[in-house]
Amino acid sequence: MAQKPSIPKGTRDFGPAEMAGRNYIFDTIKSVFRTYGYMPIETPSMENLSTLLGKYGEEGDKLLFRILNSGDAFSGVDIGGFMDGDGGIDGRALTSRVCEKGLRYDLTVPFARFVVQHQNELVFPFKRYQIQPVWRADRPQKGRYREFYQCDADVIGSRSLLNELELVQIVDRVFSLFDVAVLIKVNNRKVLSGLAEIAGFPDKVVDITVAIDKIDKIGLEAVEAEMRERGLTDAAIAVIEPVLTLKGNSSEKIAAMRALMSGGSASGLVSETGLKGLDELDELFGLIGAAGISREVEMDLSLARGLNYYTGAIFEVKAVDFQIGSICGGGRYDNLTGIFGLPDMSGVGISFGADRIYDVLKGLDKFPKEVTSSTRLLFANMGTDELKYILPVARALREAGVSCEIYADTAKLKKQFDYAAKKHVPFISITGAEEISRNVVNLKNLATGEQVSVPSSDLNGIISFLFA
Amino acid sequence: MAQKPSIPKGTRDFGPAEMAGRNYIFDTIKSVFRTYGYMPIETPSMENLSTLLGKYGEEGDKLLFRILNSGDAFSGVDIGGFMDGDGGIDGRALTSRVCEKGLRYDLTVPFARFVVQHQNELVFPFKRYQIQPVWRADRPQKGRYREFYQCDADVIGSRSLLNELELVQIVDRVFSLFDVAVLIKVNNRKVLSGLAEIAGFPDKVVDITVAIDKIDKIGLEAVEAEMRERGLTDAAIAVIEPVLTLKGNSSEKIAAMRALMSGGSASGLVSETGLKGLDELDELFGLIGAAGISREVEMDLSLARGLNYYTGAIFEVKAVDFQIGSICGGGRYDNLTGIFGLPDMSGVGISFGADRIYDVLKGLDKFPKEVTSSTRLLFANMGTDELKYILPVARALREAGVSCEIYADTAKLKKQFDYAAKKHVPFISITGAEEISRNVVNLKNLATGEQVSVPSSDLNGIISFLFA
């Protein structure tokens, strides 16, 4: 009996309409990356597990898709050695024995591995973009998939804040091209470290950032309660609170923060790290002013983002008119390649969330109309003689870059029109014996009903009618 | 200690230079696919093993990469049940228990699965192209990888030979754009079946095709020896031999074959299937003549290709001036979707071998020169004031689509020039206080040494110099 076909849960097929939208997104982002000198790379879908394990925390290790060694993976494996006294099995140990490769979990760790492995072939600072799928054995749910594309740009080997500016400019340009209003939030991890220092809990920077990162979702009081649970004192919270409620433009915020970091907070403590972070923010916002940014950029001192490897700037982008969470984010990291033996390589990167951007463009009806149809003209198939008459015309149009189709069979015209309608083909040509005798082709605009005869040798005339 | 980074054997990293070449290949092929109304789809990297198993023969099943079930795959598995009396283990059975998914092996089976699963959403005839990686646990060797891209176009739901013509036209156009001389060989599987029939061995069509397919490599005598080994009689070989040595143009070959298939061979047997195949070849070559093809097309009656699911036309493309084997191939299949419950869907498709085409273009030096560099202009970084002066100029250039970079740090000019040279950036701008006072930017052509000053507001003037 035939199988009922299906695909693994959490994975997706993309048909022509979705592909058109997705390609529009990727092509737009790529075109902007390129104008800033970012170049594409690709890495293998499978990496050695030794490359991946331990890079994403214990939870991440569990979410890796592991590939069974090829050939008979269990051949020569002494299963007895993996069994415990109760007849149970040590699945973790047996898995390591029979799986040496895993599917990539993100593009950042493979990029770090790539930079170290190819360091002698690369020109630094090295600017790369990478658009490839990643895989996570997460529980599938709405908007969360087990296979999805990431779309990253990173520059490595330069500490200059010009790189941060350029990433902000790239975000600005991409969403200008998409015609989507976004808010670009910027913070600096050093300011968060400084905050922990002047609060008197320098080793609780992760607890503090995890808590304050939630302020948009749960509000100030709940954040303070969480900080208390995480072991912060009322005195420490009294130092942090004013920062969370800070108002004003970026210069005013920086001035207020400088005062706090210089000993003006309730604790009277000074943080050199915090002041360094404020200097960086000041310089970055100065560059943003000089470059001119069309979208809104906001300094948000509560912005933390989960990833602990960030050491400087942090970015997050949200759509203003569509509720969906972060659609782009990134930051600076100082030691990503250290794990692979190349220390002191500072880098900064951003990642565009293609699936969410797709939902935003669809929700706001921002996809260009042309991306939904591809074929411009359908030649009806009226028989062999007509076909042979049409073939050179179709060829010339295609060589000029015009997408056209010839209906493959000599079906009833009704069926051929239906095909054009279902595929949203805007023009049809019904060229029969009469047209052939006059050396013309017939062209009909299916939306307006307008019909013309154009000499079959007049390629420009045909194209003019199709793109009037 | 830091790990020495590496990637799994048989996989590859692609750096910017290789990506430029590969994207040139894919973009060219896609652009041609589109002009014929082919639309892109993508399917998941992982398919259920039930979709993949049994579709590629026993050898193919062994070459599938299997993905361990997520979570603890061995939890609850009664290992004892998979052990034989000698303490050995039934690896095949245990693998099926702990792996339900595999990486796709080609694009054809996932396409068949896609068509059946989405049949109610699709417009038939359905023309799709698909460019995605596939994975095979083959022994890695020169030119054979465990992960590689396939680049396929198929149309399904039409028996018209116009589809075959269009695939030949697509091949013709693609290699015209690549400026590569190719020989397009065409045959028809029905003619091969007819040959087996008039030889008196209708059930030995696979043996016959496997043998005669090797004629280019091993010669006529070795092919005849192989047929004898495969159980064909001298009488049968006497029927087949004249076909293998047939000379002439396509009309002459068809006429000669018609005579043989109509009872004029040594056996005197008639093959209706063979005659049907000759009718199809005749019609296809008639269409090829009407459309006009710029590359060479040859009817090759010994062309068989391994894939047994072909039922009509068979294609194969070889580079004329570069020895590398087939760089493109395909054919018609009548029942690809039957295994998934949708019978009677005839289709025809081709597949471009991207890795080999890359080697051909590289070997023949046919990559366009522009694809090797991306950034057109590097602005030297002369300090903060100069940077702020340059930023709006760089922004305007980028918004006009010109790729430019600003050197990120205020390094020595020598270092900045080195960066431009290593990245093959053709123009540099050294704009300092003097230029700022005159409201100009300096531009230097690094190849010719020519240097100009252009008003910083004269975007067209700057672009003219960069693209003169």
Side-chain angles (χ1 to χ4, degrees):
Chain A
M1 214 193 76
Q3 306 165 334
K4 187 168 178 283
S6 66
I7 51 177
K9 60 179 178 177
T11 70
R12 292 168 289 174
D13 283 326
F14 297 112
E18 287 152 306
M19 284 297 293
R22 291 170 63 83
N23 283 337
Y24 168 69
I25 291 171
F26 292 133
D27 290 346
T28 302
I29 296 173
K30 274 188 236 180
S31 73
V32 178
F33 285 162
R34 281 173 192 279
T35 60
Y36 283 80
Y38 283 81
M39 304 278 273
I41 72 161
E42 284 188 7
T43 62
S45 301
M46 42 179 85
E47 294 274 354
N48 293 319
L49 279 172
S50 57
T51 299
L52 302 176
L53 286 169
K55 309 305 187 299
Y56 308 104
E58 211 172 313
E59 193 53 30
D61 285 355
K62 284 187 193 153
L63 298 182
L64 291 174
F65 276 112
R66 287 149 208 260
I67 294 161
L68 201 68
N69 295 343
S70 47
D72 184 351
F74 294 98
S75 163
V77 176
D78 173 20
I79 291 287
F82 295 94
M83 293 176 85
D84 58 30
D86 308 329
I89 191 150
D90 182 349
R92 211 162 144 171
L94 182 53
T95 297
S96 323
R97 178 70 172 76
V98 297
C99 296
E100 282 159 11
K101 296 181 286 293
L103 294 177
R104 104 188 124 229
Y105 180 88
D106 72 358
L107 302 178
T108 307
V109 168
F111 171 59
R113 193 265 311 143
F114 177 96
V115 168
V116 177
Q117 191 172 332
H118 302 281
Q119 54 185 290
N120 297 324
E121 307 146 41
L122 302 178
V123 183
F124 291 99
F126 179 58
K127 290 170 144 182
R128 85 87 173 79
Y129 72 85
Q130 189 170 357
I131 300 177
Q132 290 191 277
V134 302
W135 295 269
R136 296 181 185 181
D138 246 325
R139 202 163 53 84
Q141 50 182 276
K142 190 180 170 339
R144 186 186 292 172
Y145 304 102
R146 293 186 141 191
E147 173 178 48
F148 58 97
Y149 274 75
Q150 286 191 340
C151 181
D152 287 15
D154 291 81
V155 52
I156 195 159
S158 165
R159 293 178 190 279
S160 166
L161 292 174
L162 177 63
N163 300 300
E164 272 85 340
L165 168 69
E166 290 191 352
L167 295 180
V168 171
Q169 287 187 287
I170 285 171
V171 169
D172 181 50
R173 180 67 180 158
V174 163
F175 289 103
S176 297
L177 290 170
F178 288 151
D179 190 26
V180 167
V182 294
L183 173 60
I184 307 170
K185 290 184 175 189
V186 179
N187 195 10
N188 191 297
R189 183 55 68 104
K190 293 189 183 78
V191 174
L192 294 168
S193 298
L195 193 59
E197 285 177 24
I198 62 170
F201 286 89
D203 53 350
K204 283 214 181 289
V205 60
V206 171
D207 288 288
I208 294 170
T209 56
V210 166
I212 69 176
D213 203 23
K214 298 179 184 165
I215 192 158
D216 281 354
K217 282 190 193 146
I218 63 176
L220 181 63
E221 274 184 48
V223 165
E224 294 190 359
E226 180 164 342
M227 286 197 284
R228 218 165 276 125
E229 271 170 42
R230 288 172 176 270
L232 283 134
T233 59
D234 285 351
I237 292 170
V239 171
I240 295 165
E241 199 200 279
V243 175
L244 303 182
T245 54
L246 208 60
K247 294 277 175 288
N249 64 28
S250 57
S251 312
E252 290 160 353
K253 284 178 180 171
I254 288 175
M257 289 298 292
R258 260 198 229 285
L260 295 173
M261 295 284 176
S262 314
S265 79
S267 72
L269 292 166
V270 173
S271 168
E272 291 301 330
T273 305
L275 288 168
K276 176 80 171 56
L278 291 170
D279 286 346
E280 289 179 9
L281 280 174
D282 201 14
E283 185 180 340
L284 177 55
F285 274 81
L287 290 172
I288 288 172
I293 298 285
S294 67
R295 311 284 107 172
E296 199 186 344
V297 185
E298 180 187 290
M299 187 181 298
D300 178 352
L301 298 164
S302 73
L303 175 68
R305 291 183 63 81
L307 292 163
N308 280 317
Y309 58 71
Y310 290 137
T311 51
I314 321 171
F315 309 109
E316 189 168 89
V317 182
K318 287 188 173 176
V320 173
D321 304 317
F322 196 84
Q323 287 284 332
I324 201 166
S326 164
I327 54 179
C328 180
R332 179 172 286 273
Y333 40 83
D334 277 342
N335 195 19
L336 195 68
T337 57
I339 38 172
F340 297 115
L342 187 64
D344 296 324
M345 287 293 263
S346 189
V348 57
I350 43 166
S351 185
F352 286 85
D355 288 312
R356 285 187 176 175
I357 292 172
Y358 185 95
D359 290 346
V360 170
L361 296 188
K362 192 154 190 187
L364 298 176
D365 196 21
K366 293 291 188 186
F367 279 118
K369 295 299 160 271
E370 313 88 71
V371 310
T372 56
S373 94
S374 155
T375 300
R376 195 77 191 162
L377 169 67
L378 177 72
F379 288 100
N381 191 329
M382 314 291 284
T384 307
D385 290 343
E386 290 84 349
L387 177 60
K388 290 186 174 175
Y389 175 78
I390 283 304
L391 277 171
V393 182
R395 177 183 170 170
L397 280 170
R398 286 158 171 161
E399 292 190 359
V402 179
S403 293
C404 52
E405 290 184 63
I406 304 172
Y407 195 83
D409 300 273
T410 51
K412 283 187 181 157
L413 268 183
K414 164 87 173 66
K415 194 172 175 189
Q416 304 195 35
F417 271 89
D418 279 356
Y419 178 83
K422 282 184 192 159
K423 284 194 77 170
H424 307 289
V425 179
F427 293 88
I428 196 164
S429 168
I430 303 160
T431 297
E434 200 266 330
E435 281 79 13
I436 296 178
S437 72
R438 289 165 48 216
N439 278 317
V440 298
V441 290
N442 159 285
L443 296 171
K444 182 175 184 174
N445 181 325
L446 287 170
T448 65
E450 188 189 354
Q451 221 169 144
V452 294
S453 290
V454 182
S456 59
S457 58
D458 180 11
L459 188 64
N460 288 336
I462 297 172
I463 292 175
S464 299
F465 186 75
L466 297 179
F467 293 91
Chain B
M1 215 193 77
Q3 305 165 337
K4 188 170 177 281
S6 67
I7 51 177
K9 60 178 179 178
T11 69
R12 293 167 288 174
D13 283 326
F14 297 112
E18 288 152 307
M19 284 297 293
R22 291 171 64 84
N23 284 336
Y24 168 70
I25 291 171
F26 292 134
D27 290 345
T28 302
I29 296 173
K30 274 189 235 179
S31 73
V32 178
F33 284 162
R34 282 174 191 279
T35 61
Y36 283 79
Y38 284 80
M39 305 277 273
I41 72 161
E42 284 188 7
T43 61
S45 301
M46 42 179 84
E47 293 273 355
N48 293 320
L49 278 171
S50 56
T51 299
L52 301 175
L53 285 168
K55 310 304 188 297
Y56 307 105
E58 210 171 313
E59 193 54 31
D61 285 356
K62 284 186 193 152
L63 298 182
L64 291 174
F65 276 112
R66 287 149 208 260
I67 294 161
L68 200 68
N69 294 343
S70 46
D72 183 351
F74 294 99
S75 164
V77 175
D78 172 21
I79 291 286
F82 295 94
M83 293 177 86
D84 58 30
D86 307 329
I89 192 150
D90 183 349
R92 210 162 145 172
L94 182 52
T95 296
S96 325
R97 178 70 171 76
V98 297
C99 297
E100 283 159 10
K101 295 181 286 293
L103 293 177
R104 96 186 133 233
Y105 180 88
D106 71 359
L107 302 178
T108 307
V109 167
F111 172 58
R113 194 265 311 142
F114 177 96
V115 168
V116 177
Q117 190 172 332
H118 302 282
Q119 54 185 290
N120 297 324
E121 307 146 39
L122 302 178
V123 183
F124 291 99
F126 179 59
K127 291 169 145 183
R128 85 86 173 79
Y129 71 85
Q130 190 170 357
I131 300 176
Q132 290 190 277
V134 302
W135 295 267
R136 295 181 185 180
D138 246 324
R139 203 162 53 83
Q141 49 182 276
K142 191 182 170 334
R144 187 186 292 172
Y145 304 102
R146 293 186 140 190
E147 173 177 47
F148 58 97
Y149 273 75
Q150 285 192 341
C151 180
D152 286 15
D154 291 81
V155 51
I156 195 158
S158 165
R159 293 178 190 280
S160 167
L161 292 173
L162 178 62
N163 300 300
E164 272 85 340
L165 167 69
E166 290 191 351
L167 295 180
V168 172
Q169 287 186 288
I170 285 171
V171 169
D172 181 49
R173 180 67 181 158
V174 164
F175 290 103
S176 297
L177 289 171
F178 289 150
D179 190 26
V180 168
V182 295
L183 174 61
I184 306 171
K185 290 185 174 189
V186 179
N187 195 10
N188 190 297
R189 182 56 68 104
K190 293 187 183 78
V191 174
L192 294 169
S193 298
L195 194 57
E197 285 177 24
I198 63 171
F201 287 89
D203 53 350
K204 283 213 181 290
V205 61
V206 171
D207 288 288
I208 294 170
T209 55
V210 166
I212 68 177
D213 203 23
K214 299 179 184 163
I215 192 158
D216 281 355
K217 281 189 195 147
I218 63 177
L220 181 62
E221 275 183 49
V223 166
E224 295 191 358
E226 179 164 341
M227 287 196 283
R228 217 165 278 124
E229 270 170 44
R230 289 173 176 271
L232 283 133
T233 60
D234 285 352
I237 292 169
V239 171
I240 294 165
E241 198 199 279
V243 176
L244 303 182
T245 53
L246 209 58
K247 294 278 176 289
N249 64 28
S250 57
S251 313
E252 291 161 353
K253 283 179 181 171
I254 287 175
M257 288 298 291
R258 261 197 228 286
L260 295 173
M261 295 285 176
S262 315
S265 80
S267 71
L269 292 167
V270 172
S271 168
E272 292 301 331
T273 306
L275 288 168
K276 176 82 171 56
L278 292 169
D279 287 346
E280 289 180 9
L281 280 174
D282 202 12
E283 186 180 339
L284 177 55
F285 275 81
L287 290 172
I288 288 171
I293 298 286
S294 67
R295 311 283 108 172
E296 198 185 343
V297 185
E298 180 187 291
M299 188 180 300
D300 178 351
L301 298 163
S302 72
L303 175 68
R305 291 183 64 81
L307 291 164
N308 280 317
Y309 57 72
Y310 290 138
T311 52
I314 321 171
F315 310 108
E316 189 167 270
V317 183
K318 287 187 173 176
V320 173
D321 303 316
F322 196 85
Q323 288 284 331
I324 200 166
S326 164
I327 53 178
C328 179
R332 179 171 285 275
Y333 41 84
D334 277 343
N335 195 20
L336 195 69
T337 57
I339 37 171
F340 297 115
L342 186 65
D344 295 325
M345 287 292 263
S346 189
V348 56
I350 42 166
S351 186
F352 287 86
D355 288 311
R356 284 187 177 176
I357 292 172
Y358 185 96
D359 290 345
V360 171
L361 297 187
K362 193 155 190 187
L364 298 176
D365 196 20
K366 293 292 187 186
F367 279 117
K369 295 298 160 270
E370 314 87 72
V371 310
T372 55
S373 93
S374 155
T375 300
R376 196 77 191 163
L377 170 67
L378 177 73
F379 289 99
N381 192 328
M382 314 290 284
T384 306
D385 289 343
E386 290 84 349
L387 177 60
K388 289 188 174 175
Y389 176 78
I390 283 303
L391 278 170
V393 182
R395 177 183 170 169
L397 280 171
R398 285 158 172 162
E399 292 190 0
V402 179
S403 293
C404 53
E405 290 183 64
I406 304 173
Y407 194 84
D409 300 272
T410 50
K412 283 186 183 159
L413 268 183
K414 165 88 174 65
K415 194 173 176 188
Q416 303 195 34
F417 271 89
D418 279 356
Y419 178 83
K422 283 184 190 159
K423 286 194 76 169
H424 307 290
V425 179
F427 293 88
I428 197 163
S429 168
I430 304 161
T431 297
E434 200 267 330
E435 282 78 13
I436 297 178
S437 72
R438 289 167 47 217
N439 278 316
V440 298
V441 289
N442 158 283
L443 297 171
K444 181 175 185 175
N445 182 325
L446 288 170
T448 65
E450 188 190 355
Q451 221 169 144
V452 294
S453 289
V454 182
S456 60
S457 57
D458 181 10
L459 188 63
N460 288 336
I462 297 172
I463 292 176
S464 300
F465 186 74
L466 297 179
F467 293 92

